[in-house]
Amino acid sequence: MRNSRIFRGGFAFLFFVGIFALATLAVMFLWNLLVPSVIGWAAITYWQAAGFMVLTRLLFGGIGKFGQFGRQPEGFFFGNQERDARFKERMKNMSWEERREHIRKHMADFRNGRFDMQEPASGNTPE
């Protein structure tokens, strides 16, 4: 049983390294095919392409598990279907002015760092 886990872990590592190597080759090939002819910049080596991939991952993907794809977002229309259904039902029953005020209030809460989408207090309801 333990040898099986070690084998799977080693296989997963080798698989990741192989996928990264193929992706690096693809980036190098596409860069050298397109960029020098279109922009006039120099061709890059394999290691420069690998560094470019790591840099873009750090800049755009974050450091967490698979970047944006590994996280489960919270907020409107993500994650909690019951809350989304309540939100849609509430919006359906509001007039246009009430919707506008409700959305403005929640946008102000978002800008001010209050992300919890709780029911508004009795004094903050639009009339």
Side-chain angles (χ1 to χ4, degrees):
M1 174 99 170
R2 182 176 175 166
N3 290 337
S4 175
R5 273 191 273 162
I6 292 172
F7 178 73
R8 278 189 281 163
F11 181 73
F13 177 74
L14 290 177
F15 182 75
F16 172 75
V17 169
I19 293 295
F20 184 78
L22 289 174
T24 302
L25 282 173
V27 167
M28 183 185 74
F29 176 73
L30 289 172
W31 179 282
N32 291 338
L33 181 70
L34 298 172
V35 173
S37 62
V38 174
I39 301 175
W41 292 353
I44 61 174
T45 66
Y46 177 83
W47 295 110
Q48 288 170 328
F52 186 68
M53 286 182 57
V54 170
L55 178 66
T56 55
R57 167 74 175 147
L58 290 174
L59 291 176
F60 299 115
I63 301 177
K65 181 180 179 185
F66 302 113
Q68 298 297 327
F69 301 109
R71 296 188 200 106
Q72 294 300 320
E74 291 293 327
F76 284 141
F77 309 117
F78 292 107
N80 191 339
Q81 279 122 13
E82 293 173 11
R83 185 176 59 205
D84 295 342
R86 283 194 319 264
F87 173 77
K88 289 177 184 177
E89 187 65 31
R90 191 179 318 131
M91 292 301 259
K92 185 168 69 171
N93 295 330
M94 287 183 183
S95 68
W96 186 83
E97 292 84 13
E98 289 173 332
R99 283 185 202 167
R100 185 180 66 187
E101 289 302 317
H102 182 77
I103 291 171
R104 284 185 177 176
K105 181 209 174 291
H106 283 290
M107 288 178 71
D109 288 346
F110 182 78
R111 282 192 300 269
N112 294 330
R114 295 185 300 263
F115 300 111
D116 56 343
M117 303 306 284
Q118 302 295 325
E119 292 293 323
S122 60
N124 295 338
T125 56
E127 297 182 20

